[in-house]
Amino acid sequence: MIAVDRFNGGSKTMTLAGAVGIVGLVLTAVGFFTAPQPTMFSYLFGFTYWLGISVAAIIMVAIFHTAKAKWITILRRTMETMGSSVFVFALLVIPLLLGAKYIFPWVNHGTDWVFPGTDGVKFTEVELHHLHHKSPYLNLPFLYVRQAIYFAVWIFVSWRLRTWSMEQDTTGALELTVKQRRFSPGSLPFLALTITFAGFDWLMTLTPLWQSTIFGVYYFAGSFLAAFCVLTIATVNAQGKDEYGTLVTTAHYHNLGKLLLAFTAFWAYIAFSQFLLIWVANIPEEAGWFKLRIEGAWKPLSISLFVMGFAVPFFTLLSRNLKLKPRLLAVVAVYLLIMHAVDLYWLIWPAYSPQGPSFHWTLITSFIGVGGLAVAAAMWQARGRYTLPVKDPYISESLRYVQP
Amino acid sequence: MSNQHTSTLRVPLVSEERTLGQLTEEICAPMERKPSRMWWVAFALAVVTLAVGVGMVTYEVSTGIGVWGLNKTIGWAFDITNFVFWVGIGHAGTLISAILFLFRQKWRTSINRAAEAMTLFAVMCAAIFPVIHMGRPWNAFWVLPYPNDRGSLWVNFRSPLLWDVFAISTYFTISAVFWYFGLIPDLATVRDRVKGGLKKAVFKVLSFGWTGSSRTWHRYETVYLLLAGLATPLVLSVHTIVSFDFATSVIPGWHTTIFPPYFVAGAVFSGFAMVLTLMIITRVVLGFEHLITIRHLENMTKVIIVTGGIVSLAYGTEFFIAWYSGNPYEKFTFMNRAFGPYAWAYWTMVTCNVVSPHLFWFKKVRTSPAAIFVLSLVINVGMWFERFVIIVTSLHRDFLPSSWSMYTPTVVEVGTFVGTFGLFFTLFLLFTRVLPIISIGEVKSVAAFARGSHAPGHASHPAHGSETPHEHPAEAPEPLPTPALAAAVVRKDMPV
């Protein structure tokens, strides 16, 4: 007999992750006082990486409730926990907002902005004129308001779904399932809008005179894939006492593998659509963003992103054998997480270093800093609770799931 | 496929108790009895409409495409609008048959056959438009790249129109193979039921000597899964390429990076609307209400809410970026869409595509076939207007105000479009007469007896109710007292 009780382990992981996070953030703060601009770009990299995963997990829970998916019930608590760490980011966004002038050229209508990596190049008169047109959207107060809206939506949806889910652990009330399934579809339009505009705000406006309608979808696609990777890794490693990993069947891993394959392809599809349409039309106001990345020093990275980010994992994940082996699948998931980091670096860093890929040590410290805190927050949320929704009406169906 | 544990909370997909034999009888009945008067009336109407279309196309081909309302500014209008409209309709078939199959959505079983057939017919209707727009359709084979004696004149591989040729011909081929492959077991069923004569001989050939042995079934299911996997990328690729027809250009309103996923979502949106239109009629006329239940209709309306939502998000994003870009041409195009001479078309589109699907949030609407039928027609109209708005409003006021113009379709264009509906319904009506329109073999796998020991008791439950446990508290599994016990109940090795 397998008994599952409330999860009380993980304190070591939590402490370690928290310590790493704090050390990372302190070092990043040190970096800020020595070299503010690269540090802020690095911080944006760490922030968007981990926040994307957290928000994608919230969207995932909402999607699975909407689809009334039953096989995934056993994995749902982990997704809820991943999403619950979003509150940490509501605090972590503050440095980003305070240091906005170091990364966003549009701050103060672009008049103060000096392009990094150049010898003092500033916006031309015409460019300033275009920027001025965007100022109703691109201004700091409105940016703050938008962040508040995004986080309000994310925290509320995540809290609402998770609280109902945990309440069911004790009461087992079937109404709670009904409530979650009613609430989720209604939340999806808001989640879609917020992630789209968050992608615009944090990543697209780094190049304020460039725009692409698909950009929000691109950020979502990468983050969604990364969230599945984290879910896979968490599941493979949840083998301890009271952890749900021991109850997961091969069929669950197979499905996770298939989802990784599908979203690797989806990310590539979105990336390719954006690239092809801008490259083929080749109009001056759009082409610059890609010209920077596909010519000169950034070219090798762009090519390797296509090969390593799409071709290699896609053909690897086609293997059925691999998807049935949890350890191997976790290795692929780690690999995909690294590729997602490369993807975000490729999105962000050329704005700081147009002359070519470069490295700043704060990239590492802010990545582990934000990540450490996010993981610690998730572990903190997981402790004292069940690692799977034990009284969900569909839990037995999920535990017995086999490939049809 | 039935060794899976199924919760008793699930509502059966076949809402009335039927034996295997009864299911076969029922599904084969329409093709074995004499056509009803209703069918003849509908068929006559469809053929007359088709004849109108044939007449119009004959006139157009013999006279030249000058009989259309196109002009120098608007060189692409009704024909391409109709082409995109029909290709979009075709998407639901592949989505239902391939993607829903991969997602193991068993409710697809009673609608996939008809939806796939609809796909094939819709793609045929779509293909007519580019071919007749060539002016000399007898040269249509020139679009195929092969070494030739026309001064070695090659197709332009850089043109998305050529990619369309490849995408759509691939799509049609795979859809046809997938559809036919799924038909084979049912063709054998029909073969075995026919007493003799020509019909028997035909079905004998068509069913490829199907024996129904478990080895045959095993291979069949493997191939079916592989075909589903191959067809899945096509759901995305076809409309992606169609969107490239516009988005690779530099025309404001056409060139925007969100076009590929947005067109795909729009295609699924319109395709499901068309499946609903057809299925609601079919289930009533043929008495299949227990096979194509309200639950099926409800699920399809939910897909419509999602895809409609994606389409609305894309409209919004496009509008926002048009302003945000600060590009005066882009801004003008969008303002011109909303407030220019074609504003009526734009607001028709918004009402039909953005507003009307939200009525499906209400359960009352989702479970009323009449309401769904009306809304499905509204969405079809809206999606036709979406293509019209994108195509005509972007072209009619271009960069040079002196070339601004208006476009009005001529009788010939309208007649051709109406004619394609004639073709579509003629083919669909013939399909209901000559082939089993529901997959007999697959429906049996979701019937009550395939659901294990508890199922028959529940099989008589009407599917009209909600499947939420809230409204069926009696069906709840025994509450799990303690988590430790919960784990005991969920042992994987004992059947419960």
Side-chain angles (χ1 to χ4, degrees), chain B residues 2 72 117 137 177 251 261 272 298 301 384 389:
Chain B
S2 57
K72 236 162 67 181
V177 169
I251 310 283
F272 268 76
E298 219 188 323
T301 61
W384 186 86
V389 164

Side-chain angles (χ1 to χ4, degrees), chain A residues 12 35 42 143 184 189 195 252 328 374 391:
Chain A
K12 213 184 251 175
S42 303
L143 180 75
S184 296
I195 189 85
H252 288 109
L328 278 179
K391 288 193 183 173

Side-chain angles (χ1 to χ4, degrees), chain B residues 211-272:
Chain B
T211 59
S213 69
S214 53
R215 187 162 58 173
T216 321
W217 272 108
H218 176 72
R219 287 178 182 161
Y220 167 83
E221 289 190 350
T222 310
V223 176
Y224 197 81
L225 180 65
L226 289 176
L227 278 175
L230 282 176
T232 298
L234 290 173
V235 180
L236 292 179
S237 72
V238 177
H239 237 64
T240 298
I241 303 289
V242 170
S243 80
F244 284 172
D245 291 348
F246 307 103
T248 53
S249 71
V250 292
I251 310 283
W254 284 8
H255 176 71
T256 178
T257 47
I258 205 159
F259 256 35
Y262 151 45
F263 263 51
V264 172
V268 174
F269 181 54
S270 68
F272 268 76

Side-chain angles (χ1 to χ4, degrees), chain A residues 54 57 61 76-86 162 377-382 386:
Chain A
S54 185
V61 177
R76 198 183 72 220
R77 183 55 47 79
T78 307
M79 297 189 280
E80 287 164 356
T81 310
M82 281 159 67
S84 71
S85 64
V86 76
R162 188 162 174 269
M379 288 307 286
W380 179 60
Q381 296 279 331
Y386 294 106

